[in-house]
Amino acid sequence: MSENRKQRKIQEKSKVSEDDIVLAEKWLVAFKNPNSKKNPQSATFIRQFYAPGFYEAYDIVATYAEKLKLDILWFKEKRICGYTYINNTYPQLESFCTYCNNKFNHVDPIPCTKVDCIAEFCSKGCMVDHYKIRHKF
Ligand SMILES: [Zn+2]
Ligand SMILES: [Zn+2]
């Protein structure tokens, strides 16, 4: 009896300390742009973001969808998504242009054409200017 109680105490204690650590999980969200003139497949896109829990994730997704007038198809912790999702890297929910520092929500950020450069841009103009300065045309 007392042994059981001791055991339970230990379990409770380890549970509490686990809750104390707020780990931000990586989440994936799939949106659909109902106003897109593209075909339905390309109007759907996936973004990734960090949130410590479901409610925070929901909040982030709902705010974003409202702001950009998008439909939420689904959102899930990345680690419980399928193999193909886990092994893919998706653009952040909100990207910053490496060149002009503007926040942008394009369907697809424009990557630098230099293969080993991870910079992303809001426009082709920013990409070209960055290329001239950083990689020399
Ligand atoms: Zn830019
Ligand atoms: Zn670059």
Side-chain angles (χ1 to χ4, degrees):
M1 179 71 173
S2 75
E3 196 52 46
N4 270 350
R5 204 191 255 165
K6 208 169 131 193
Q7 196 61 40
R8 204 163 65 209
K9 259 232 158 89
I10 291 165
Q11 272 172 8
E12 272 168 13
K13 208 177 159 199
S14 64
K15 202 172 169 212
V16 167
S17 60
E18 223 168 75
D19 286 346
D20 282 346
I21 309 162
V22 181
L23 284 173
E25 278 288 338
K26 198 181 263 182
W27 290 71
L28 291 183
V29 55
F31 290 112
K32 193 182 167 196
N33 184 353
N35 304 310
S36 175
K37 289 179 179 67
K38 292 184 200 168
N39 65 60
Q41 189 120 42
S42 59
T44 304
F45 58 96
I46 293 172
R47 287 288 179 270
Q48 68 179 33
F49 62 98
Y50 289 91
F54 178 84
Y55 292 103
E56 290 85 354
Y58 176 77
D59 212 44
I60 291 167
V61 166
T63 307
Y64 187 83
E66 198 184 349
K67 199 163 74 182
L68 289 138
K69 311 233 177 327
L70 299 168
D71 293 339
I72 303 161
L73 296 176
W74 53 264
F75 67 100
K76 256 191 244 182
E77 285 176 43
K78 189 171 182 176
R79 62 186 173 87
I80 59 166
C81 292
Y83 184 78
T84 44
Y85 290 110
I86 290 170
N87 286 287
N88 244 316
T89 306
Y90 297 96
Q92 295 296 322
L93 198 54
E94 292 204 303
S95 309
F96 279 95
C97 176
T98 309
Y99 187 74
C100 71
N101 276 325
N102 272 341
K103 209 188 232 187
F104 65 101
N105 309 300
H106 283 210
V107 168
D108 286 307
I110 298 162
C112 182
T113 48
K114 195 169 192 311
V115 183
D116 57 348
C117 179
I118 55 152
E120 286 183 338
F121 308 96
C122 66
S123 67
K124 211 153 193 175
C126 282
M127 197 272 281
V128 169
D129 287 346
H130 153 91
Y131 201 102
K132 277 183 198 158
I133 292 164
R134 282 294 183 83
H135 313 303
K136 299 195 176 69
F137 250 114

